[in-house]
Amino acid sequence: MEKLILARHAEADHNVRGVLNGDRSVPTRLTTHGREQARALGRNAGPVDLVAHTEFRRTEETAALAWPGAPRLVVPDVNEIAFGCFEGTRWTDGYGEWARTSGPLDRCPGDGESRVEAVRRYLRGYRIVLERPEDTVALVAHGAPIRYVLLALEGRPPQAVLANVPPAWPFALPRNAFERALEVIECWTGEPVWA
């Protein structure tokens, strides 16, 4: 891979309802507006040689609408974080408070993931994408894994609470910038503390 187009999935029905969804067995689909966003993503980003996405339907749908003719690759390691007992709830129903007050090694209650577990998983997925032979690769993923890369591009490690990533917005990265971002993230996983 020489160029990466990184994008969050387009608007899905759970986004409209404002609920957390980290369980891929829970069906969520793109809204009508989301389908329009996905098509615009492909137009704005331009053609790609391969489009990678997670196992979640919303990323698959976004990828298929944005780049209908491109080969696709499923990268499960970049799946959404497991929200545990907060699955299907709103940010303000407890997950937001947990995110602000727990450490990166703390597992989310109810068999969820810790943030460092998720980040290490994301790194495995990023490496799969990085080593692809195609020149231009798109990765359609979820907000957290994308925000971690965007922070790292600024030399900043993961944070306890992340700013939103706009849906279906293309972030174009040359290979060397993506590699440097991964180094920042990987370094943080060795001593994971919130800044």
Side-chain angles (χ1 to χ4, degrees):
M1 182 210 85
E2 294 303 320
K3 178 182 177 183
L4 175 66
I5 305 295
L6 194 57
R8 182 182 169 210
H9 61 81
E11 180 187 80
D13 52 17
H14 78 283
N15 300 128
V16 173
R17 294 192 322 269
V19 298
L20 303 170
N21 173 237
D23 180 354
R24 67 185 178 93
S25 71
V26 175
T28 64
R29 300 189 60 99
L30 298 186
T31 63
T32 300
H33 181 57
R35 289 190 291 277
E36 293 168 4
Q37 289 175 328
R39 290 184 192 97
L41 169 62
R43 289 192 303 272
N44 293 334
V48 299
D49 302 307
L50 175 75
V51 58
H53 57 82
T54 73
E55 294 179 299
F56 284 71
R57 178 73 181 147
R58 58 190 180 263
T59 65
E60 181 184 4
E61 255 189 295
T62 301
L65 289 168
W67 296 282
R72 294 203 305 263
L73 172 71
V74 178
V75 184
D77 283 328
V78 196
N79 280 358
E80 179 67 275
I81 193 168
F83 292 109
C85 67
F86 299 110
E87 175 67 33
T89 68
R90 296 175 187 276
W91 173 267
T92 55
D93 292 338
Y95 186 78
E97 180 64 20
W98 177 85
R100 280 188 291 280
T101 60
S102 64
L105 294 169
D106 296 333
R107 288 182 65 88
C108 189
D111 204 28
E113 284 179 288
S114 73
R115 265 74 64 82
V116 77
E117 286 173 315
V119 168
R120 287 178 177 145
R121 177 168 55 80
Y122 299 154
L123 282 167
R124 290 192 302 270
Y126 297 147
R127 297 261 178 234
I128 289 168
V129 172
L130 183 66
E131 297 311 318
R132 290 299 305 185
E134 295 85 359
D135 283 341
T136 304
V137 178
L139 173 59
V140 180
H142 306 274
I146 294 171
R147 179 56 66 193
Y148 290 137
V149 171
L150 296 177
L151 285 167
L153 289 170
E154 299 173 356
R156 298 166 62 199
Q159 298 176 347
V161 178
L162 301 171
N164 285 332
V165 174
W169 184 263
F171 297 93
L173 290 72
R175 180 186 179 94
N176 61 350
F178 188 43
E179 287 175 321
R180 285 195 307 271
L182 298 190
E183 288 171 9
V184 170
I185 298 168
E186 194 138 35
C187 182
W188 176 82
T189 64
E191 291 185 46
V193 293
W194 302 131

